[in-house]
Amino acid sequence: MIEQAIYGSQDVGGYRFLGRSPGFVDEWLPLAERLCTAFGERPAGVSCLACVFARPFGDDRVAVVQVADQGADDAGRPGALGFRLLVLPRPLYEALGGDPFHVAERFPPRWDARGELPVLEWAGGPPPRRTVAEIETVLKVPYMATLLGGAQALLDGGRLVFERTEPATPLLRSIWALLPTSTRIDLWPASFAFSNALDFHVLVVPRASGPELEHYVTEDQAGDYPEGRYELNLQIAVEAGDQAELDGLFARRSRKQTLRLGVALLLVFMLIPIAVMVFGPSAPPAENDPPPEKKAPVPPEKEKAPLEKPGAKKVAVAAVWTEQQRLQLARRLHDLGERWHVALPADDRPAALTRALVFLDATLDAGAGKTDSALRPGEPQAFLRALLRKHGVGGHDAPDLGPVEMIDRLEEKLASARARKEPSP
């Protein structure tokens, strides 16, 4: 079922709803009025014979709006506008291929209707298949490059604007005929509007300028738009008369659907190992495995005994740095870089710290005339100790040595080496 309403001007009282179907409830009226008023103020000398636009209507519906001038004033200038709103359930709009032009054509407006309007019913079945012959006819125009470039720009996530002083419904309908169905249901066109207050994806306006159209692809830019894979495959399918290939192109996933699928697959791959660990059965013991040996309970005093043998040599273990230590190291590296004229960013992420240390190592090697002694990148804790060891800094293996102390010792060592190289005044 499709609800409808007529919004227009009376002789007295300005614009108001002149008629609506029973299901066009009062709660819809503010949103419907905003769609009509956001069409914009009419520029001087511009007429609107008939146009169509579509926008979401709440969370689960779509409004297909037909707009046309309602006569002229005493001086022959266009008079008031009339708006006819068709409100479809979102699933029906998607089942119809996201084609507002097809919907509007099926239900031509009766501008003189008033009061209670009938509820409309879609009984036309699914939209007709787009054939090779139809698309070939669409492309047999002098501005074919503009149509193909505009379609490719929309597929790439761009937006498109055309400048006209009157509606250009056939132009937008041609572009719509070239787009995949999944893309059309996420894009909102207007074959004419006085402004872009409703933030359309592709529209025709009297003047294509201003902040609201700043990042839109213009008609000239669409004609020169870089050829994409979809545009190329579409031309090949039409020239070869390959209906199966054309059907496949129109049935392809949109960017939004592809992103949604990628996120879903990522979540699945992340959850499978967790599910196996939590719910998976433990491995049964092999038949030839000996039974587990029962160990005698360990006295409490032995549990607390040190694990190291007397006299064993302690080996420095790189402790995990705290966030504060990483931040301090990043600042010290940045300060060191400024003093030694090396560009080291103040970034405390582990990967950034490692990159800064690798760059510092390469710079020091260049200053010393070394060409093949660069360290292999690794965790910043281990890499910094290796850097100290490489440059002969004493105490580099002390287990309680913090990152800031390491940088201080490295700087002292380098300063001492530079002082020995510099000639006396």
Side-chain angles (χ1 to χ4, degrees), residues 260-276:
R260 233 179 353 237
L261 178 62
V263 171
L265 290 175
L266 179 61
L267 290 175
V268 168
F269 286 126
M270 291 174 62
L271 291 175
I272 285 177
I274 299 175
V276 171

Side-chain angles (χ1 to χ4, degrees), residues 6 85 115 118 157 170 299 351 356 364:
I6 299 288
L85 298 94
L364 296 174

Side-chain angles (χ1 to χ4, degrees), residues 86 108 121 130 164 216 269 351 354 357 414 418:
L86 300 170
E121 182 179 357
R130 287 176 275 174
R164 299 284 191 281
Y216 279 64
F269 286 126
T354 297
L357 291 170
L414 297 177
R418 176 175 288 187

